[in-house]
Amino acid sequence: MIAINDLQMFAASLEERGLLHRIKAPVDRDLELAHVAVMGERAKGPALIFDNVIGFDIPILISAFTSPSRMAVALGMEPGPSMPELSRLWMERTTAGLIPPVTVNNAMVAKNQLTGDDVDVNHFPAPQLYPKDGGRFFGTTAYLVCRDPETGWVNLGTYRMQILEPNRVGVQFLQGKDADHILKKYKARGEKMPAAAVLGGDPLLFLASATFIGTGISELDIVGALRQKPVEVWQSDLTGLPLPAGAEIVLEGHIDPDDPCHEGPLGEYTGYYTHDHWSKPALKIQRILHRDQPLFWSCTVGKPVNDIHMLQCLSRTGGIWHDLETMKIPGIESVYVPPEACGWFWTIVSIRQMYPGHANQVGNAVLASSGGHHATKGVIVVDHDIAADDLSGVWWALSTRFDPSRSLTLDQGRATKLDPSLPYGDRHITGRMIINACIPYEWEEKPEQVELDAEMVAKVKARWADFDMPDIDPNRIMGI
Ligand SMILES: Cc1cc2nc3c(=O)[nH]c(=O)nc-3n(C[C@H](O)[C@H](O)[C@H](O)COP(=O)(O)O)c2cc1C
Ligand SMILES: [Mn+2]
């Protein structure tokens, strides 16, 4: 296990393993920085820290999660596991039980406190990412902490935060998100909602707060379970909220339900814009907390593949897998929501078939599950000889095991407002399908496959070193 308590430890762990590159050249935070990052991401480059952001002495971390190796390190593992393997770990740890946070008195984030006229979010190098974005965003990786006034439940949600004024940022939580439910309760009481925008802390806090965990469950407890140790929080004397003690920067204040703002757009994770700028919640900042020498953290959002698609791949796969296990559906070998599908719209499940109709049961279960029903367009079910993330194998199954007239099921379900394949103003319901790409269990005569000899494979693996191909790990070759 790699010990990681906060963002700077995570960045150092990446750097030690050659997974992070520091850019020393001066770079403009508006457009230039994000363009370097997107071009690096497209080329499957490393995580980046821009040490010399023009006009600031605060560096920016970006592209932190954009490879399975970096995602493994975030989870405290050495590079190696595939995304489905990491999702299985997510599923197992969150299913085993949650771990609530512990309160500490000394918090690195509380070392510097800006109040009164010193409250100015422009102190930090928030970038503008794309030319058509509405401005600079303090929050792409930042999460909002708020508390349910009735139950005391503390929710963490990642919602984008645009800088509007020195002491005001938009916080675009969409209808139905947890913060939206909670804000409505404050509104009914005629109160403002105390809230904090947090950047940094354990990198898993960003991951968990960008994931639908379930109403009433705190993302702090989920991160405790994932990290297998409690998150350290500091009880704010201003808002009464538990704030991650190792955070980089916190904007504290309140959201007035009767004082919405005009905000956006921001290039979204679908790779498109949604033009819906009015009546977004806004955080009025009363106090800024930050560590000594904070590290700013941004994410390019926009077209796949970047951090958001990787983290959605991890957590959505983990959530769907969790649901399939709790539904007691047997034979699930692996699950994968490809980052290229925005980490959202398609699910691939590999199963060991046990009875006729098993593959369709799995497809229907994904479409009906809490973790997978929302905006899924298709489920592809393949046999156990193909891992869910073996996209070459999946194409082979689509070509040789799938018959559209026999094994395609069409259905409809809940859409997302961000889906550009649906017309504006009518994005409630999407079509969806189950593609059963398994060899039918009930066929007595199955197609005969070309196979390698299992004993010879074992022998070849045993003397792999003799063949002098050190870059290939014989135990991680798909499809044998
Ligand atoms: C970079 C990034 C930006 C996001 N922006 C928003 C956003 O502006 N509004 C929103 O409602 N969800 C946004 N999300 C998705 C939410 O984080 C996600 O739905 C999460 O479940 C919200 O937390 P909650 O379930 O506690 O409400 C974003 C996710 C990421 C990773
Ligand atoms: Mn939540």
Side-chain angles (χ1 to χ4, degrees):
M1 289 282 276
I2 305 170
I4 291 175
N5 292 332
D6 61 33
L7 188 64
Q8 300 207 24
M9 285 175 87
F10 172 49
S13 302
L14 291 178
E15 198 165 11
E16 274 166 30
R17 289 163 181 77
L19 302 173
L20 181 146
H21 173 67
R22 280 181 187 272
I23 293 186
K24 306 277 182 210
V27 172
D28 193 330
R29 64 170 164 156
D30 289 330
L31 303 183
E32 190 176 31
L33 182 141
H35 284 60
V36 176
V38 170
M39 289 164 78
E41 287 165 356
R42 298 272 160 87
K44 300 198 184 305
L48 298 175
I49 286 184
F50 290 86
D51 273 322
N52 189 350
V53 182
I54 295 169
F56 293 88
D57 56 8
I58 298 174
I60 300 185
L61 168 67
I62 198 161
S63 311
F65 289 152
T66 324
S67 74
S69 314
R70 270 121 72 193
M71 201 51 112
V73 173
L75 283 159
M77 322 260 299
E78 289 298 342
S82 67
M83 290 302 286
E85 285 165 344
L86 295 174
S87 292
R88 176 189 277 275
L89 184 86
W90 170 289
M91 183 270 288
E92 287 170 352
R93 289 197 178 159
T94 54
T95 309
L98 304 185
I99 301 180
V102 290
T103 302
V104 296
N105 293 325
N106 284 324
M108 278 193 287
V109 74
K111 274 192 139 183
N112 304 279
Q113 308 199 2
L114 308 176
T115 53
D117 289 347
D118 292 335
V119 171
D120 186 353
V121 66
N122 298 307
H123 191 65
F124 305 106
Q128 173 162 353
L129 303 172
Y130 299 98
K132 290 189 178 167
D133 288 358
R136 295 178 176 139
F137 280 77
F138 172 84
T140 48
T141 69
Y143 43 92
L144 188 82
V145 182
C146 61
R147 189 195 292 278
D148 186 311
E150 290 163 8
T151 64
W153 155 52
V154 173
N155 188 69
L156 276 61
T158 299
Y159 318 109
R160 74 189 195 206
M161 300 171 191
Q162 184 180 348
I163 297 182
L164 304 174
E165 295 168 44
N167 65 348
R168 196 163 181 250
V169 292
V171 186
Q172 191 223 213
F173 40 84
L174 300 173
Q175 260 202 1
K177 299 290 171 103
D178 284 339
D180 176 52
H181 289 308
I182 295 175
L183 183 65
K184 284 187 174 128
K185 292 190 181 182
Y186 283 95
K187 184 174 165 66
R189 295 165 159 238
E191 292 172 15
K192 295 172 186 167
M193 177 173 83
V198 182
L199 201 89
D202 188 322
L204 297 179
L205 287 165
F206 167 43
L207 233 145
S209 62
T211 303
F212 176 70
I213 301 289
T215 302
I217 301 172
S218 180
E219 286 77 4
L220 290 169
D221 302 6
I222 294 280
V223 172
L226 288 172
R227 188 66 74 203
Q228 307 208 292
K229 77 175 196 278
V231 177
E232 294 190 347
V233 293
W234 177 75
Q235 216 65 35
S236 163
D237 50 324
L238 180 72
T239 53
L241 293 166
L243 303 174
E248 301 295 318
I249 304 165
V250 179
L251 314 179
E252 278 196 283
H254 58 260
I255 294 184
D256 181 347
D258 296 318
D259 186 21
C261 72
H262 176 249
E263 108 37 274
L266 174 74
E268 286 160 1
Y269 80 96
T270 56
Y272 298 83
Y273 286 98
T274 308
H275 292 284
D276 171 18
H277 307 316
W278 293 98
S279 283
K280 309 284 181 70
L283 175 72
K284 190 80 182 273
I285 308 162
Q286 286 161 274
R287 179 168 77 179
I288 296 177
L289 311 176
H290 70 87
R291 289 164 60 133
D292 294 339
Q293 298 176 310
L295 175 63
F296 196 87
W297 189 13
S298 186
C299 154
T300 59
V301 205
K303 288 182 187 173
V305 170
N306 58 52
D307 293 349
I308 181 167
H309 312 101
M310 293 298 284
L311 74 83
Q312 289 189 159
C313 162
L314 178 83
S315 61
R316 189 148 152 115
T317 300
I320 291 170
W321 205 333
H322 165 88
D323 292 346
L324 294 173
E325 294 290 327
T326 37
M327 279 189 254
K328 300 201 176 352
I329 297 176
I332 306 296
E333 294 277 319
S334 59
V335 185
Y336 189 53
V337 179
E340 294 81 357
C342 305
W344 202 255
F345 296 97
W346 284 84
T347 302
I348 303 167
V349 188
S350 167
I351 64 166
R352 194 173 287 272
Q353 290 186 77
M354 295 182 178
Y355 39 81
H358 190 173
N360 258 54
Q361 179 197 14
V362 169
N364 280 305
V366 171
L367 294 180
S369 67
S370 321
H373 77 284
H374 187 192
T376 294
K377 300 197 178 198
V379 185
I380 302 174
V381 189
V382 293
D383 284 302
H384 65 269
D385 59 328
I386 299 169
D389 63 331
D390 176 6
L391 298 187
S392 304
V394 170
W395 270 109
W396 177 56
L398 288 175
S399 309
T400 62
R401 300 179 186 183
F402 168 61
D403 168 15
S405 64
R406 166 177 57 79
S407 38
L408 178 69
T409 311
L410 285 177
D411 186 16
Q412 290 194 322
R414 180 179 172 198
T416 164
K417 266 176 74 174
L418 306 190
D419 182 350
S421 76
L422 300 173
Y424 253 129
D426 186 16
R427 292 183 172 176
H428 306 289
I429 297 293
T430 174
R432 48 194 205 170
M433 65 174 95
I434 299 168
I435 296 178
N436 175 353
C438 296
I439 299 172
Y441 180 85
E442 59 280 12
W443 279 6
E444 282 184 12
E445 198 179 336
K446 298 206 170 45
E448 189 180 358
Q449 297 184 46
V450 183
E451 302 285 9
L452 294 177
D453 179 72
E455 262 179 47
M456 185 54 77
V457 168
K459 195 171 154 192
V460 166
K461 278 185 181 177
R463 55 174 305 217
W464 192 258
D466 298 347
F467 309 132
D468 198 21
M469 290 189 275
D471 292 342
I472 299 176
D473 177 348
N475 293 313
R476 301 200 71 84
I477 301 172
M478 285 178 167
I480 53 165

